[in-house]
């Protein structure tokens, strides 16, 4: 395998990892319809949810791409282990109707 094909395979795996993590996180926060807002800082995704009880912190904490998830005031903060900006972009795309991710 050439360096170039190795790099493309790695990029494809990374994109698949971001897609998988975004889907799992969105499901664990109660789905697209439960998200009233999404922002991020340098370390955490910050969700404002319509129904806080719909969030599954155990599922978030058990996901291998999530370091931790905690409530801070009225926001659910999720700290991914890597790829925060790519993950935030993918979640925004999904929340804006870009895919059928739950």
């Amino acid at each position: 395998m050439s360096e170039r094909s190795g790099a493309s395979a790695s990029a494809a795996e990374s994109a698949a990892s971001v897609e998988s993590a975004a889907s799992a996180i969105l499901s664990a926060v109660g789905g697209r319809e439960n998200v009233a807002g999404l922002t991020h800082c340098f370390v955490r995704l910050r969700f404002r949810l319509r129904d806080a009880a719909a969030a599954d912190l155990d599922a978030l904490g058990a996901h291998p791409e999530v370091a931790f998830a905690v409530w801070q005031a009225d926001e659910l903060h999720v700290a991914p282990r890597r790829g925060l900006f790519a993950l935030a972009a993918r979640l925004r795309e999904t929340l804006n109707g870009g895919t059928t991710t739950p």
Side-chain angles (χ1 to χ4, degrees):
M1 179 179 345
S2 72
E3 259 184 61
R4 183 173 289 217
S5 13
S8 344
S10 180
E13 287 171 9
S14 179
S17 176
V18 167
E19 180 68 31
S20 173
S23 178
I25 289 169
L26 200 52
S27 178
V29 299
R32 177 173 35 198
E33 55 284 336
N34 195 38
V35 178
L38 170 66
T39 59
H40 66 82
C41 63
F42 193 68
V43 176
R44 301 175 184 179
L45 297 165
R46 298 172 181 218
F47 290 90
R48 285 186 322 283
L49 302 179
R50 290 182 175 88
D51 178 9
D56 185 348
L57 265 60
D58 291 333
L60 285 166
H63 194 281
E65 293 294 324
V66 174
F68 64 88
V70 296
W71 283 101
Q72 179 93 24
D74 62 346
E75 292 181 330
L76 177 59
H77 291 205
V78 178
R81 294 189 185 280
R82 63 182 93 26
L84 171 77
F85 301 113
L87 190 52
R90 184 68 191 108
L91 284 164
R92 275 197 201 98
E93 181 181 317
T94 300
L95 291 170
N96 290 327
T99 70
T100 58
T101 302

